[in-house]
Amino acid sequence: MNGAQAVIRTLVDGGVDVCFANPGTSEMHFVAALDDVPEMRAVLTLFEGVATGAADGYARMTGSPAATLLHLGPGLGNGIANLHNARRARTPLVNVIGDHALTHKRLDAPLESDIDALAGTVSGWVRRSLATSEVGADTADAIAAAARGQVASLVLPADVSWSDGAAVAAVPSRRPAPQVPASVVEEVAGVLGGSTLLFLGGDAVLEPGLRAAAQVAAGTGTRLLSQRSPARMQRGAGRPDVLKLPYPPEGARKQLDGVEHLVLVGAVEPVAFFGYPGMDGRLLPEGCSVHVLAAPGEDAVAALQALAESTAPDATPELAEARRPDLPTGELDIKALAEVVGALLPERAIVVDEALTSGYFLPMATVGAPAHDWLTLTGGAIGQGMPVAVGAAVACPDRPVVSLQADGSAMYTIQALWTQAREGLDVTTVICDNSAYAILASELESVGAAGGGERAGKLLDLGGPALDFVALATGMGVPATRATTAEELAEQFRAALAEPGPHLIDAVLPRG
Amino acid sequence: MNGAQAVIRTLVDGGVDVCFANPGTSEMHFVAALDDVPEMRAVLTLFEGVATGAADGYARMTGSPAATLLHLGPGLGNGIANLHNARRARTPLVNVIGDHALTHKRLDAPLESDIDALAGTVSGWVRRSLATSEVGADTADAIAAAARGQVASLVLPADVSWSDGAAVAAVPSRRPAPQVPASVVEEVAGVLGGSTLLFLGGDAVLEPGLRAAAQVAAGTGTRLLSQRSPARMQRGAGRPDVLKLPYPPEGARKQLDGVEHLVLVGAVEPVAFFGYPGMDGRLLPEGCSVHVLAAPGEDAVAALQALAESTAPDATPELAEARRPDLPTGELDIKALAEVVGALLPERAIVVDEALTSGYFLPMATVGAPAHDWLTLTGGAIGQGMPVAVGAAVACPDRPVVSLQADGSAMYTIQALWTQAREGLDVTTVICDNSAYAILASELESVGAAGGGERAGKLLDLGGPALDFVALATGMGVPATRATTAEELAEQFRAALAEPGPHLIDAVLPRG
């Protein structure tokens, strides 16, 4: 058995049976070995940022890692932005990064670069496999490391891959999350009430955690708030409706106003996304004390359930009622867009939200839609949405994926559409097409830099020439239409959802 | 004057008056300051890999750096692959990478990451500017560092940028390249002859260097060979025709066969691009001794001229004659494609070559075309061609740019087409469309991994669904056509060259 075969067999035996791949020469033995281990599903992407984002989306929905296959330093570089997002999402993910043969390293061939340094910026675990006899064990260690909620990067030299003498290694069964000590739960129980806020993140915003938190809220008057950009949130009719921390610092401060005790539950302390002149980046009111019920990675759900049991055993959590907005008519703006989504969102949908400024009305419009999952832009590196939609669709082939995508950000990883077509993924993409980096126009003002200058404005404008997303999608094999009124969007959204496979709708909004 | 204004003014005063930009919030003051320093031309790109590749192409043609404007670690990450290529090209380039305000760093906001580590993998010079009062001087140092033929990365915290109290700094005039000592020239003169090969790179493959080298060759029988992937080579009718080191190791060895003395002239020792099982990555024949006439960065041209003067003062260099292939007819294959390019290449063209396997016949077909520049994929990180074409066209608005682009690689930075349209750049792109990662099919064989397996083959195939490059180009505002015969390609290529502004031709080749 050669090294590549051992890597793939160890991955599959360890539960990692999907690989999002952009191979090159140094990965050719890995590619060849795919025919020896048919349990591994290899999904080709046209750009590494799609591969890494897809692996992130996959793991957010399954809870277990997918692998990527990347080509040396530049291939990893192309995937860095979405690995950054995966790191912020605490996503388990195994990168397999092919490198030159060990014997070739010292020749400083054109593709030689410092892979380890690159990988270190986004990974919790990095290892270069140095011997074919050990590569199975290295792979098993990578899987175990990823399972701790981090990016694990295995650098795989070509000769370690092609040489014989490798062996499959077993991955130890996944260790459950550490439990929160009872004394901590007790301490938090002592501060609950109307001036206390549970700040929820990680697993705590999946249904069981939200229910327990809502039970605490109902019984004690404690307030609830979710972190700004959860990796995966469960919401909709029949589930507690918990607001997310707003993006603008003023809005965030308003939500935190009057809070004397902030309790972190699978989340870290909220801070402003960016610094602004004359503004403190911390958001908590003065004198607010911070308590940690569960640190990220600890069993937040069990801690919340224990807290509910001890403080509000008989309380009934408040749940969102089933209700949908009416289908809007007339002008297509961001409110109408949200109402169309809310009115038509199918059962068990997975919503991937990179709508940015166009998404303002989405939470209100969808809170009573059938129960669904909501995946967000965790690390702020745009170009995540369409790749994450790929991964979510591969992970959950029986669920519809709705990908709500800002236009400027869409262009960062537009190649994801091709993989959606190739794999026949049931993804309905709605491009929020305002022909601008609209978020930057408001940021230009927020940082106090708005001079209204023409040259500055030109750098935020996507209108010359206008991007034709219908042409771009069809050019990659995804059927696409354009909606210029609320009625057209509704009709096209309904039609896209009714058909299997990917579709794209270019929703033309007022210029940003 | 705030920090951003001082940065831009220092750049402009230091000769850096083009900036390829993908700004975000942390760069908004830089964007605003563009209206205060109108001499700076800011070119918006939709993806950072386009910005960095364009800056590379610009500097290859002008010899002086352009700037990029990148958004924190993820923005830099997106630009890493083409910075890798720029590093291998020894391109002068100034990255301005916006970062969080200094006061915001310790809050570990979502976009926080290790920018310095990322930058270090591709830069010869990295500095984080820590005070507004110093940011002008930091910028001047960055320009001076870049001028030494390397990527210089200046990390610019948002508050250093927005605060007042900055000053413009002067950039010392560019230091000429170090001269090669006469004793070295003399030593090399002693080994010239039929079993000696001058291996040329860097400036030595521009016309003056090539002429001097060809004079040496004519007078002494010494052989000439160019490095595999020069940043910029001057060739065509009336110039010496020097072969490039072939990509396949067997072909490279054949070119080096019988060489007893290899003389490096602005190049480094040739090695195989990749390692292969059972093969030494070094290419030189056994016993071949290596001499360095000029190390990269030294004045190779003056050294060659001194060598010619001392060894072959009266010799006449052999120059390529003006001759073009006949226009081909019938089937469109890679030979016909090369002949169309050779037959129609306009005067003073800049050819950007990322044709990869489809480019085999190009050197022969174009050697007698009017004198032109040829820019290649220096670092092996694909997705360089279309961005480099952007930069070359911005650098030389009066020259036609011909961008010969493999299909798989095109998809890495396809967003470059939008900037070509926005800026009205005179770029004619020919997509070599064989619906495959054709180079990988041959590599699968070269590494001895070819099993003909269906699952492996699927990872090299771009045919399902077929990419429609006409739709992709028109979707970004670039007029496009499809050629399926040699005649169609000739007609469309001629028409594209006759019109100003960008055009794309999808040349449909036999499947790779």
Side-chain angles (χ1 to χ4, degrees):
Chain A
M1 176 177 287
N2 71 23
Q5 290 161 331
V7 169
I8 301 183
R9 175 53 68 192
T10 300
L11 285 169
V12 165
D13 289 359
V16 184
D17 56 6
V18 171
C19 174
F20 297 96
N22 264 93
T25 299
S26 41
E27 293 74 53
M28 282 299 108
H29 282 84
F30 188 106
V31 169
L34 289 170
D35 282 290
D36 303 314
V37 190
E39 300 94 324
M40 175 62 84
R41 176 175 178 189
V43 176
L44 180 62
T45 67
L46 296 183
F47 179 70
E48 291 86 352
V50 178
T52 54
D56 183 10
Y58 178 92
R60 291 195 199 184
M61 291 310 302
T62 60
S64 38
T68 67
L69 180 63
L70 307 173
H71 183 48
L72 300 109
L76 173 61
N78 285 334
I80 283 282
N82 275 333
L83 290 170
H84 169 86
N85 287 320
R87 178 170 81 91
R88 290 293 174 181
R90 295 185 51 84
T91 295
L93 194 157
V94 177
N95 289 317
V96 178
I97 306 156
D99 193 12
H100 283 307
L102 295 170
T103 53
H104 206 70
K105 292 293 283 179
R106 63 175 286 277
L107 300 181
D108 195 35
L111 271 165
E112 180 66 34
S113 72
D114 190 346
I115 297 176
D116 308 67
L118 272 177
T121 66
V122 287
S123 310
W125 184 98
V126 181
R127 186 178 300 165
R128 174 177 295 275
S129 198
L130 292 172
T132 301
S133 58
E134 304 296 334
V135 74
D138 290 335
T139 306
D141 286 353
I143 299 168
R148 297 194 287 274
Q150 59 189 358
V151 175
S153 293
L154 179 68
V155 182
L156 182 61
D159 48 356
V160 171
S161 194
W162 75 50
S163 300
D164 280 324
V168 177
V171 181
S173 62
R174 189 163 175 168
R175 214 177 132 72
Q179 295 298 300
V180 172
S183 61
V184 172
V185 176
E186 225 168 283
E187 189 203 309
V188 168
V191 301
L192 298 182
S195 59
T196 298
L197 187 144
L198 300 186
F199 190 61
L200 309 171
D203 286 354
V205 296
L206 300 182
E207 187 166 5
L210 289 171
R211 280 188 169 265
Q215 188 178 339
V216 171
T220 67
T222 301
R223 291 153 63 183
L224 305 180
L225 191 67
S226 155
Q227 65 176 115
R228 186 189 290 112
S229 306
R232 178 186 177 193
M233 188 179 204
Q234 293 189 312
R235 59 194 299 279
R239 289 172 169 167
D241 174 31
V242 174
L243 196 73
K244 296 201 295 277
L245 182 77
Y247 172 85
E250 312 74 43
R253 286 221 171 73
K254 196 171 289 177
Q255 286 302 324
L256 296 165
D257 198 35
V259 173
E260 291 170 19
H261 300 277
L262 183 89
V263 179
L264 300 173
V265 190
V268 296
E269 186 183 320
V271 298
F273 207 90
F274 291 107
Y276 299 92
M279 193 199 81
D280 189 349
R282 285 165 302 188
L283 296 171
L284 297 183
E286 209 161 327
C288 175
S289 64
V290 176
H291 312 257
V292 180
L293 178 63
E298 294 176 353
D299 191 341
V301 176
L304 281 169
Q305 286 166 341
L307 191 66
E309 195 54 43
S310 103
T311 63
D314 303 318
T316 305
E318 195 179 333
L319 306 177
E321 281 173 33
R323 84 186 136 78
R324 291 177 181 267
D326 294 332
L327 274 176
T329 57
E331 198 199 352
L332 180 53
D333 55 17
I334 64 171
K335 186 150 182 287
L337 185 148
E339 287 166 352
V340 168
V341 173
L344 300 177
L345 195 70
E347 303 275 340
R348 306 185 66 234
I350 301 166
V351 180
V352 180
D353 175 8
E354 193 174 69
L356 306 183
T357 55
S358 298
Y360 183 77
F361 294 99
L362 285 170
M364 284 163 273
T366 55
V367 61
H372 54 269
D373 286 86
W374 201 276
L375 315 186
T376 80
L377 177 55
T378 49
I382 58 175
Q384 179 192 43
M386 300 208 293
V388 162
V390 166
V394 168
C396 304
D398 58 337
R399 296 180 63 176
V401 176
V402 174
S403 177
L404 306 172
Q405 181 61 58
D407 52 355
S409 310
M411 288 308 294
Y412 278 69
T413 46
I414 192 79
Q415 304 93 335
L417 292 172
W418 183 81
T419 299
Q420 292 179 11
R422 183 177 179 92
E423 301 288 331
L425 304 177
D426 191 15
V427 179
T428 300
T429 301
V430 179
I431 299 288
C432 307
D433 186 354
N434 59 19
S435 280
Y437 290 122
I439 197 167
L440 294 185
S442 81
E443 292 288 345
L444 193 65
E445 207 160 314
S446 298
V447 301
E454 190 194 342
R455 291 159 54 80
K458 205 170 164 224
L459 277 195
L460 315 181
D461 162 50
L462 300 174
L467 289 159
D468 178 348
F469 284 97
V470 173
L472 294 172
T474 52
M476 286 184 271
V478 171
T481 53
R482 176 166 295 117
T484 59
T485 65
E487 289 88 343
E488 284 175 8
L489 178 61
E491 187 193 325
Q492 293 171 18
F493 192 57
R494 197 196 303 269
L497 293 168
E499 266 188 22
H503 294 81
L504 180 140
I505 302 166
D506 179 28
V508 180
L509 299 169
R511 282 179 74 91
Chain B
M1 177 177 285
N2 70 24
Q5 290 162 330
V7 169
I8 301 183
R9 175 53 68 192
T10 300
L11 286 169
V12 165
D13 289 359
V16 183
D17 56 6
V18 171
C19 175
F20 297 96
N22 264 93
T25 299
S26 41
E27 292 75 53
M28 283 299 107
H29 282 84
F30 189 106
V31 169
L34 289 171
D35 282 290
D36 303 315
V37 190
E39 299 94 325
M40 174 62 84
R41 175 175 178 187
V43 177
L44 180 61
T45 68
L46 296 182
F47 179 70
E48 290 87 351
V50 178
T52 54
D56 183 10
Y58 178 92
R60 291 195 199 185
M61 291 310 302
T62 61
S64 40
T68 68
L69 180 64
L70 307 174
H71 184 47
L72 299 110
L76 172 60
N78 285 334
I80 283 282
N82 274 334
L83 291 171
H84 168 86
N85 288 321
R87 179 170 81 91
R88 289 292 175 182
R90 295 185 50 85
T91 296
L93 194 157
V94 176
N95 290 316
V96 178
I97 305 156
D99 193 12
H100 284 307
L102 295 169
T103 54
H104 206 69
K105 292 292 285 178
R106 64 175 285 277
L107 300 180
D108 195 35
L111 271 165
E112 179 66 33
S113 72
D114 190 346
I115 297 175
D116 308 68
L118 272 178
T121 66
V122 286
S123 310
W125 184 97
V126 181
R127 186 179 300 165
R128 174 177 295 275
S129 196
L130 292 171
T132 301
S133 57
E134 305 295 334
V135 74
D138 290 334
T139 305
D141 286 353
I143 298 168
R148 296 195 289 273
Q150 59 189 358
V151 175
S153 293
L154 178 69
V155 183
L156 181 61
D159 48 357
V160 171
S161 193
W162 75 49
S163 299
D164 280 324
V168 177
V171 181
S173 62
R174 190 162 175 169
R175 215 179 132 72
Q179 295 298 302
V180 172
S183 61
V184 172
V185 176
E186 226 167 282
E187 188 203 310
V188 168
V191 301
L192 298 182
S195 59
T196 297
L197 188 143
L198 299 187
F199 190 61
L200 308 170
D203 286 354
V205 296
L206 300 182
E207 187 167 5
L210 288 171
R211 278 187 171 266
Q215 188 177 339
V216 170
T220 66
T222 301
R223 291 152 63 183
L224 304 180
L225 191 67
S226 155
Q227 65 177 114
R228 186 189 291 113
S229 305
R232 178 186 178 193
M233 188 177 203
Q234 293 190 312
R235 59 194 299 279
R239 290 172 169 167
D241 174 30
V242 174
L243 196 73
K244 296 201 295 278
L245 181 77
Y247 172 85
E250 311 75 42
R253 285 219 172 72
K254 197 170 288 177
Q255 286 302 324
L256 296 165
D257 198 35
V259 172
E260 291 171 20
H261 299 278
L262 184 89
V263 179
L264 300 174
V265 190
V268 296
E269 186 183 320
V271 299
F273 208 89
F274 290 107
Y276 299 91
M279 193 199 82
D280 189 349
R282 285 166 302 189
L283 296 172
L284 297 183
E286 209 161 327
C288 175
S289 64
V290 176
H291 312 258
V292 181
L293 176 63
E298 294 177 351
D299 192 340
V301 175
L304 281 169
Q305 286 167 341
L307 191 63
E309 196 54 43
S310 102
T311 63
D314 304 318
T316 305
E318 194 180 332
L319 306 178
E321 283 174 31
R323 83 186 137 77
R324 291 176 181 268
D326 293 331
L327 273 177
T329 57
E331 197 198 355
L332 180 53
D333 56 16
I334 64 171
K335 186 150 181 288
L337 186 148
E339 287 166 352
V340 169
V341 173
L344 301 177
L345 195 69
E347 303 275 341
R348 303 186 67 235
I350 300 166
V351 179
V352 179
D353 175 8
E354 193 173 71
L356 306 183
T357 55
S358 298
Y360 183 76
F361 294 100
L362 285 170
M364 283 163 275
T366 56
V367 61
H372 55 268
D373 285 87
W374 201 275
L375 314 186
T376 80
L377 176 56
T378 49
I382 57 175
Q384 180 194 43
M386 301 208 293
V388 163
V390 167
V394 169
C396 305
D398 58 337
R399 295 181 63 178
V401 176
V402 173
S403 177
L404 305 173
Q405 181 60 58
D407 53 354
S409 309
M411 289 306 295
Y412 277 68
T413 46
I414 192 79
Q415 304 93 335
L417 292 172
W418 183 82
T419 299
Q420 293 180 11
R422 183 177 180 92
E423 301 288 331
L425 303 177
D426 191 15
V427 179
T428 300
T429 300
V430 178
I431 299 287
C432 308
D433 186 352
N434 59 18
S435 279
Y437 289 123
I439 197 168
L440 294 184
S442 81
E443 292 289 344
L444 193 65
E445 208 159 315
S446 299
V447 301
E454 189 194 342
R455 291 158 55 80
K458 204 168 165 227
L459 277 195
L460 314 183
D461 162 50
L462 299 174
L467 289 158
D468 178 348
F469 283 97
V470 173
L472 294 172
T474 52
M476 286 184 272
V478 171
T481 53
R482 177 166 295 117
T484 58
T485 64
E487 289 88 344
E488 285 175 7
L489 179 61
E491 187 193 325
Q492 293 170 18
F493 191 57
R494 197 195 305 267
L497 292 169
E499 266 188 23
H503 294 81
L504 180 141
I505 302 166
D506 180 28
V508 180
L509 299 169
R511 282 180 74 92

